[in-house]
Amino acid sequence: EPVPAPATLRPVDPSRCTAGGAGIGGGTAGTEVTFTVTSADAVGNRLRVGGGTLVVEVIPNGLGGGATISGTTTDLADGAYLCTYTVPTRGDYSVSVALDGGPIHGSPFPVFFSSAPPGVSSATVAGGVSFGFNNQSVVGGFNTVGICRD
């Protein structure tokens, strides 16, 4: 009987790869979300090495339209990839995830992003740094400023 190739030598099968985490479930517009893609071979065994090419695109759906958003991916070198993205406005989106040119299982993922709570706004400055701030005054304390990198 043939001996299966070690996980380091088996080719990835995008249709067997999975995604998990908040980023494939939606969130709040203007807030960075993340999810993880786990690579697998043709029979569904998890691969333990990285090196693949992962592409994440977030496509606005509905009447508002808008530009496609490219997600940021990080190869964790253990067969998993960390993905992050931020949508600018409330609405429905599709998160398309492809590994080595093929869509992963379940892609594209339909997601919904709600509006930021009242009094919270955000701005993006040169270099892709987003600042979120609460316009409500705080007596005897400090206002909180959140910073995330696109």
Side-chain angles (χ1 to χ4, degrees):
E1 232 177 274
V3 177
T8 55
L9 302 177
R10 293 191 308 257
V12 66
D13 180 347
S15 70
R16 295 294 196 142
C17 300
T18 59
I24 58 167
T28 303
T31 303
E32 183 177 74
V33 293
T34 64
F35 65 95
T36 303
V37 171
T38 304
S39 60
D41 66 12
V43 292
N45 294 317
R46 179 175 176 188
L47 298 178
R48 300 289 178 186
V49 295
T53 301
L54 187 71
V55 176
V56 174
E57 294 182 323
V58 184
I59 302 124
N61 296 334
L63 299 174
T68 296
I69 300 158
S70 295
T72 301
T73 62
T74 303
D75 185 344
L76 301 177
D78 64 355
Y81 301 82
L82 181 65
C83 310
T84 61
Y85 67 93
T86 304
V87 301
T89 58
R90 176 186 188 277
D92 292 305
Y93 295 83
S94 293
V95 179
S96 174
V97 183
L99 182 57
D100 288 349
I104 70 164
H105 180 73
S107 179
F109 300 94
V111 295
F112 174 76
F113 283 82
S114 63
S115 299
V120 176
S121 58
S122 65
T124 301
V125 295
V129 177
S130 297
F131 292 87
F133 39 101
N134 185 326
N135 294 326
Q136 299 174 357
S137 61
V138 177
V139 177
F142 299 95
N143 283 336
T144 302
V145 176
I147 302 173
C148 4
R149 194 178 133 250
D150 248 6

